[in-house]
């Protein structure tokens, strides 16, 4: 099982800002085999969160561990989410976000206003929870990190003039961002259509989702 160095785990960890390292997808965690490792990473995440009052959430890859572990603040409580999976989403809204791994920058990012996630607790119990508002945005932000996705990859960077801009100017920027996302989505779809393996995966995901939402009925 291994031995936890509690003195080291209680230290605040350095937040990684190296794009190449952060672009890696994190691995699922086997809580049966890696229980002590999970406990060690969780302690480091929690103490780093406590040391940074302006930080709402933190993912394991941001401190150098490529495991699917996230810690979020809920008031004075910090909760741990292991192997989180988004099972359902509702609504869309614009989110103005910052990231400790991309210091001194702000990005506009489209987020779902409500999400349902299934995850494991540190005791390997499987739970499902619905998150709305800020909790939903923070969870989506941290899951992006687990997938190796940064705000700079899909967000729209805004400068210090953003807060001084008129509502009309902000709307123009947002519309430009939405148009760019639409163009990117169409380009990705084109690439998928020319890649047989990627197309099979996309079709498989579409079929599974259609069964889940009742569009496709399976014969018994």
């Amino acid at each position: 099982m291994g031995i936890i160095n509690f003195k080291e785990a209680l230290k605040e960890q350095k937040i990684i800002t190296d794009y190449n390292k952060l672009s890696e997808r994190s691995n699922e965690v086997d809580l049966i085999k890696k229980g002590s490792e999970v406990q060690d990473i969780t302690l480091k995440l929690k103490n780093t969160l406590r040391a940074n009052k302006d930080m709402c959430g933190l993912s394991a890859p941001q401190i150098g561990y490529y495991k699917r572990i996230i810690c979020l603040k809920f008031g004075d409580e910090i909760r741990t989410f292991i192997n989180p999976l988004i099972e359902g989403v509702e609504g869309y809204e614009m989110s103005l976000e910052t990231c400790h791994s991309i210091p001194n920058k702000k990005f506009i990012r489209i987020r779902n206003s409500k999400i349902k996630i299934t995850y494991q607790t540190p005791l390997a119990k499987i739970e499902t929870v619905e998150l709305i508002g800020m909790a939903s945005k923070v969870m989506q932000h941290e899951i992006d990190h687990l997938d190796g996705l940064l705000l700079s990859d899909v967000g729209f960077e805004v400068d210090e003039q953003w807060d001084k801009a008129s509502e009309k100017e902000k709307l123009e920027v947002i519309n430009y961002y939405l148009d760019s996302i639409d163009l990117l989505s169409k380009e990705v779809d084109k690439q998928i259509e020319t890649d047989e393996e990627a197309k099979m995966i996309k079709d498989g995901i579409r079929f599974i989702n259609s069964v889940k939402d009742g569009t496709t009925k399976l014969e018994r």
Side-chain angles (χ1 to χ4, degrees), residues 11-207:
K11 291 181 181 178
E12 176 187 355
Q13 303 297 300
K14 181 180 178 181
I15 305 297
I16 291 176
T17 57
D18 186 317
Y19 174 83
N20 290 325
K21 292 180 179 178
L22 291 169
S23 64
E24 294 182 29
R25 185 186 185 278
S26 295
N27 298 316
E28 280 71 19
V29 177
D30 185 335
L31 281 164
I32 303 301
K33 296 180 179 179
K34 301 290 184 178
S36 61
E37 181 182 4
V38 171
Q39 188 177 359
D40 177 53
I41 295 171
T42 300
L43 281 172
K44 290 175 179 176
L45 287 169
K46 287 185 174 182
N47 282 287
T48 304
L49 275 173
R50 292 188 182 102
N52 292 272
K53 303 300 181 182
D54 61 336
M55 191 181 289
C56 299
L58 190 62
S59 62
Q62 287 179 278
I63 59 171
Y65 297 90
Y66 299 97
K67 304 294 182 182
R68 299 187 78 79
I69 305 172
I70 290 171
C71 284
L72 260 61
K73 284 180 182 175
F74 291 86
D76 295 329
E77 180 188 5
I78 297 178
R79 292 176 58 182
T80 303
F81 301 83
I82 300 168
N83 299 325
L85 179 65
I86 296 178
E87 298 281 6
V89 300
E90 288 183 24
Y92 292 96
E93 59 183 83
M94 292 294 173
S95 177
L96 184 61
E97 301 181 14
T98 59
C99 179
H100 280 70
S101 291
I102 314 174
N104 306 315
K105 291 188 177 183
K106 293 181 181 180
F107 297 85
I108 297 172
R109 175 81 160 94
I110 294 178
R111 295 293 186 195
N112 294 109
S113 50
K114 179 179 179 180
I115 61 173
K116 180 170 74 173
I117 64 164
T118 298
Y119 65 98
Q120 288 178 282
T121 70
L123 296 177
K125 183 180 178 182
I126 297 175
E127 295 185 351
T128 298
V129 66
E130 289 188 345
L131 301 174
I132 61 173
M134 181 59 73
S136 171
K137 294 177 185 177
V138 175
M139 176 60 75
Q140 291 172 76
H141 181 115
E142 301 307 336
I143 288 178
D144 279 350
H145 275 298
L146 299 187
D147 293 332
L149 191 64
L150 296 180
L151 278 176
S152 54
D153 293 325
V154 289
F156 187 87
E157 185 178 351
V158 295
D159 59 22
E160 67 277 0
Q161 298 301 315
W162 173 258
D163 293 331
K164 300 177 183 178
S166 67
E167 291 304 314
K168 181 180 179 181
E169 289 171 330
K170 289 180 180 179
L171 183 59
E172 288 177 352
V173 170
I174 289 172
N175 285 334
Y176 174 79
Y177 170 51
L178 292 174
D179 288 343
S180 68
I181 289 178
D182 186 52
L183 289 171
L184 178 61
S185 176
K186 289 178 180 177
E187 185 61 33
V188 170
D189 283 341
K190 285 182 182 178
Q191 293 178 12
I192 288 176
E193 291 302 319
T194 61
D195 186 320
E196 282 300 317
E197 185 175 355
K199 188 175 184 299
M200 286 176 63
I201 293 172
K202 181 182 177 182
D203 290 343
I205 292 172
R206 185 185 293 125
F207 174 74

